Amino acid sequence: MTLARSTKVGPYEIIAPLGAGGMGEVYRARDTRLGREVALKVLPEAFARDAERMIRFEREAKVLASLNHPNIAAIYGLEESHSSSALVIELVEGPTLGERIGQGPLPLEDALAIAAQIAEAVEYAHERGIVHRDLKPANIKLTTDGKVKVLDFGLAKALEGETAQEELQNSPTLTAVATQAGVLLGTAAYMSPEQARGKKVDRRADIWSFGGILYEMLAGQAVFGGETTSDTVASVIRAEPDWSALPASTPPRIRELLRRCLQKDPRQRLQAIGEARIAIEEARSGSPVPDASAVAVATPSLWQSGTAWLALGLALGAVSAGVIAWYLHPAPARPPVTRFAFAFNSPGGQSPASAGFPMRDFPAVAISPDGSEVAYVGSSGEKTQVYLRPMDRLEAQAVPGSENATTPFFSPDSQWIGFFADGKLKKASIHGGQTETLCDAPINRGATWGPDNTIVFAPNIFGGLMRVSAAGGTPVVVTTPDLKKAGELTHRWPEFLPGGKAIVFVIATAQDVGFFTQSEIAVERLDTHEKKILPIRGTYPLYSLTGHLLFAREGRLFAVPFDVNRLQVTGQPFPVLDRVRTSANSGATNFVVSTTGALAYLPDNPSVLQGSLVWVDRRDQVKALPPSARFYGSAQLSPDGNRVALSIFSGNNSDIWVYDIRLGTLTRLTFDEHSFAPVWSPDGRKIIFASTRQTGPGMLLKTADGSGAEEFLASGKTLIEIPTSWSPDGKFLAYWTVGTDTGRDIWILPLTGERKPTPFLQTKFNEQQAAFSPDGRWLAYTSDESGRFEVYVQPFPGPAGKWQISTDGGDMPVWARNGRELFFESAGKLMSVGVTTQASFSASAPRFVAHMPPVLSTRLGNTRYDISPDGQRFLFVKANVENGPPDEMRVILNWTQELKQLALTSTQP
């Protein structure tokens, strides 16, 4: 069917034809609902009229639409109208690889860069059981920014259906284009021999096609060809590649890769496309190829040695045949490095809880030491739980009693799973049964289970490490931050080293607050308490039995040689894995390694850390503000509602900016690169903010228009002070700080007179986020005194009574400007209570106001939202989670083999 311009297929308006695809005509079209351009692949009429085939096709298309990878063109949906049916596909601008090859051979580096991206796309699909079946240069697009996009993934299978014959003449790709000169021939040139013979195919057919594409990029000609389709097919089945056509500069590793990809017998062919990707990465990095001559020499030597022993045995009659057979038996092959991933789509529809905010601040993945189970914190609706998935099964099971869990970790014998929930440290057997509570742990920052059946853990955001029996009991202090001498605020993310005699952990100072991925890493002996600061900076250290310490930095995984006996680094760090989900706000990193050498991790995309300013009204309507996406934090409206003070983060830097809503301008207010958490004065003329600058951490006051000098307001009590609210009369500032023994506390700083700060709430619990009421008589705040954070109100200046406002968890209280309503967060929803403050304080039951968008982590900021002066709209920093990676866990079996190779490569001169 040929469609005219302006013809509509559902909501899609045809703009122009793009040519013929492997299944029908392709058109550029406009999505009139979303205002974007897409590609429409219109199905052949005969196919669309076949109801049974369409049902099968729809089922296959749903599976294909689940593919979410930067190198795969996305399928948006299937659109059916009264006259036609079409697949809606991502519109990819740029030439095809076939068009580029038509200009001549590609330079080696360009060809390898393109091949690596193709391999990543194919590997991703293969891990999900999807085979392309029609991989060729015409199905590969090259975008203007250098990215590769593979088109038509799995569509050949989708068109074929369940009952099709596996014969060449019935190949869906061939029959769909049989009348188009040249297209049939181009398709046949990339068919594997088994495909050309009409046999059943699997992912090894794609590996053959991949080899043919890489060969053609380097040689400038197809590996197999002929004047007719029959000639081409015959060449694929019988001919051998012309290896002399490859450039002389082709690395030996790439020549060997091509030879393995183009083996006609699929059993002798490369078995996993991931191995091709690794070979290409090694070739690009200059990794040396094993010396083949050494292997050739070693083989006769072994045989000669074996023959000598055999002769000696026969002469003496003393050597048994069994001993000879053992001696001559080849050494067992090393287990292959195997990659796979699974999406979080188990029963219940859970997804990884760390994908959202602020759950991103906690690790969500664990692997048992024996490598038999993976665990992750998943969410289904508003509920989070720990899920266990055995490696040999497809289903995951929720751990009973693990609701609201974070940070799972295994016992050394792999029989127990530990986690934090509701302000407690808990454990549960992997075989089921009652969950056991071990001790209090208000806000965790990591745990590790030692061989002596004790657990070392960080029970709070600030402070040291504690130790408790795995059977429960009273925790004892293991480490204490050296606040006065070294400026240490927190010890977190502990890990037992082999033998259980020492731990490695993260140390952070005030300068690390909000940037925990660049913290110090230390090791300490548990018997002598001897502590060493290691010559590396990062977060989340884990030990690998290869003799390396693994750690993360800015979302990248590194390894460094480490002597576990002398407890010291013995070499230079080197990168081993990119895009691992990491929180700069807490230092949490989502990767784990088993003692069997398996690696499990959650992938990440740095763009997900960007956000946009949006309004959300009481009808859940969302409206974006103009500023481009950045890592915003702590956005607070000026008293008149016309400006927004916010912090903007970039790498390890942060500064205060002011956005004028009316003018659309974004103006930088500070330039020290260590400022955050702004608070407006009641008249809107000044801003107080937190700073962790080297010259003097504390709080500073500055005019909102940038004029005049800054005024230092540090109290001198601690190294971290976060302002949260300015009293309406301008006389007091509420802020929270950290006590060595009391955790987060609320303090009041008078802004007149002596300016001597005094504690408002200083208990063994964590109190924070204090907010003055519009009449200045009340302070709303959050506290975890009940075991989880709830919102409370007390009179100011007090002391007097206390009222709990939230009933099912609460955070970030903000008053309406009229003082008659108090808002707070609870489980992703914005809630409010009606308030009366005349004679005495009273509040209504909480009621739902609006759903919160996914919000960016605030890096210890003072708010995640604010309210318009009329109380009808709410300002959020919405996280761009749609730009994130797919919700999946990636697992690499025998990954330590790869780590060893990377270690060798990193030591090459």
Side-chain angles (χ1 to χ4, degrees), residues 105 215 218-223 240-250 255 258:
Y215 179 102
L218 296 172
Q221 65 184 43
V223 62
E240 290 297 325
D242 179 9
W243 301 115
S244 65
L246 292 172
S249 60
T250 304
R255 290 180 180 270
L258 289 171

Side-chain angles (χ1 to χ4, degrees), residues 203-250:
R203 63 185 186 179
R204 292 172 296 185
D206 285 350
I207 294 173
W208 169 280
S209 302
F210 172 83
I213 293 169
L214 177 55
Y215 179 102
E216 188 171 354
M217 284 194 288
L218 296 172
Q221 65 184 43
V223 62
F224 299 109
E227 295 183 358
T228 67
T229 302
S230 299
D231 293 337
T232 301
V233 171
S235 178
V236 167
I237 295 174
R238 297 187 180 88
E240 290 297 325
D242 179 9
W243 301 115
S244 65
L246 292 172
S249 60
T250 304

Side-chain angles (χ1 to χ4, degrees), residues 594-624:
S594 72
T595 56
T596 60
L599 169 74
Y601 71 100
L602 299 181
D604 205 358
N605 185 338
S607 65
V608 78
L609 296 179
Q610 294 188 339
S612 305
L613 294 175
V614 299
W615 287 112
V616 177
D617 63 23
R618 290 178 183 259
R619 296 175 298 172
D620 269 345
Q621 299 298 308
V622 179
K623 181 181 179 181

Side-chain angles (χ1 to χ4, degrees), residues 453-540:
N453 211 32
T454 65
I455 297 173
V456 172
F457 65 106
N460 227 318
I461 292 179
F462 296 106
L465 302 175
M466 307 290 287
R467 189 172 190 167
V468 68
S469 168
T474 302
V476 296
V477 174
V478 175
T479 69
T480 301
D482 186 351
L483 179 62
K484 293 183 178 180
K485 183 178 179 181
E488 299 174 359
L489 286 179
T490 172
H491 294 171
R492 54 181 60 189
W493 311 126
E495 164 86 349
F496 269 108
L497 293 173
K501 302 299 183 183
I503 54 172
V504 62
F505 56 96
V506 169
I507 294 179
T509 65
Q511 281 70 40
D512 297 317
V513 170
F515 309 105
F516 284 108
T517 63
Q518 294 278 7
S519 300
E520 288 183 331
I521 295 177
V523 61
E524 181 168 320
R525 290 185 60 92
L526 295 176
D527 51 356
T528 64
H529 293 287
E530 176 190 2
K531 183 175 72 174
K532 294 181 181 179
I533 306 297
L534 301 178
I536 54 177
R537 295 190 74 89
T539 186
Y540 214 75

Side-chain angles (χ1 to χ4, degrees), residues 726-729 732 771-779 794-797 815:
W726 202 321
S727 65
D729 60 8
F732 301 98
F772 281 105
S773 63
D775 61 9
R777 297 171 52 210
W778 309 91
L779 266 183
Q794 287 196 32
F796 179 80
W815 295 85

Side-chain angles (χ1 to χ4, degrees), residues 109 112-114 116-117 253-254 279-287:
E109 182 55 32
L112 294 184
I114 292 171
Q117 294 185 64
R253 194 186 303 274
I254 299 302
I280 293 171
E281 290 173 351
E282 292 175 343
R284 296 180 71 191
S285 67
S287 175

Side-chain angles (χ1 to χ4, degrees), residues 136-317:
K136 58 187 177 183
N139 277 339
I140 298 168
K141 282 269 197 172
L142 307 177
T143 67
T144 54
D145 60 356
K147 186 176 288 294
V148 169
K149 287 279 189 177
V150 181
L151 314 178
D152 291 355
F153 239 109
L155 291 185
K157 172 64 175 174
L159 279 164
E160 180 183 83
E162 297 174 340
T163 60
Q165 298 296 314
E166 290 284 350
E167 294 163 10
L168 178 60
Q169 61 268 28
N170 289 331
S171 166
T173 303
L174 298 187
T175 55
V177 296
T179 60
Q180 301 174 39
V183 179
L184 177 61
L185 184 61
T187 296
Y190 303 94
M191 280 186 162
S192 64
E194 63 269 26
Q195 204 170 1
R197 288 189 172 99
K199 296 182 177 180
K200 288 186 178 296
V201 299
D202 55 23
R203 63 185 186 179
R204 292 172 296 185
D206 285 350
I207 294 173
W208 169 280
S209 302
F210 172 83
I213 293 169
L214 177 55
Y215 179 102
E216 188 171 354
M217 284 194 288
L218 296 172
Q221 65 184 43
V223 62
F224 299 109
E227 295 183 358
T228 67
T229 302
S230 299
D231 293 337
T232 301
V233 171
S235 178
V236 167
I237 295 174
R238 297 187 180 88
E240 290 297 325
D242 179 9
W243 301 115
S244 65
L246 292 172
S249 60
T250 304
R253 194 186 303 274
I254 299 302
R255 290 180 180 270
E256 175 62 13
L257 172 62
L258 289 171
R259 185 191 67 80
R260 295 194 63 195
C261 287
L262 295 172
Q263 289 288 328
K264 297 189 185 298
D265 184 349
R267 296 173 300 174
Q268 303 302 318
R269 197 177 302 155
L270 191 72
Q271 299 295 296
I273 193 69
E275 297 299 316
R277 176 184 53 76
I278 293 171
I280 293 171
E281 290 173 351
E282 292 175 343
R284 296 180 71 191
S285 67
S287 175
V289 181
D291 190 349
S293 63
V295 176
V297 171
T299 302
S301 175
L302 177 61
W303 171 246
Q304 291 165 4
S305 174
T307 304
W309 277 107
L310 178 60
L312 180 61
L314 291 174
L316 301 177

Side-chain angles (χ1 to χ4, degrees), residues 35-91:
R36 65 180 176 184
E37 292 189 355
V38 299
L40 287 187
K41 288 182 176 286
V42 180
L43 303 181
E45 290 185 58
F47 183 95
R49 289 196 300 265
D50 188 334
E52 184 178 350
R53 296 189 75 184
M54 281 299 295
I55 291 174
R56 291 196 302 269
F57 182 82
E58 289 178 16
R59 184 171 64 246
E60 293 286 347
K62 288 179 181 178
V63 175
L64 301 179
S66 67
L67 292 179
N68 184 358
H69 190 276
N71 296 121
I72 297 177
I75 294 179
Y76 296 144
L78 179 65
E79 190 64 40
E80 297 183 64
S81 67
H82 65 281
S83 59
S84 59
S85 298
L87 266 180
V88 185
I89 298 179
E90 176 185 1
L91 179 64

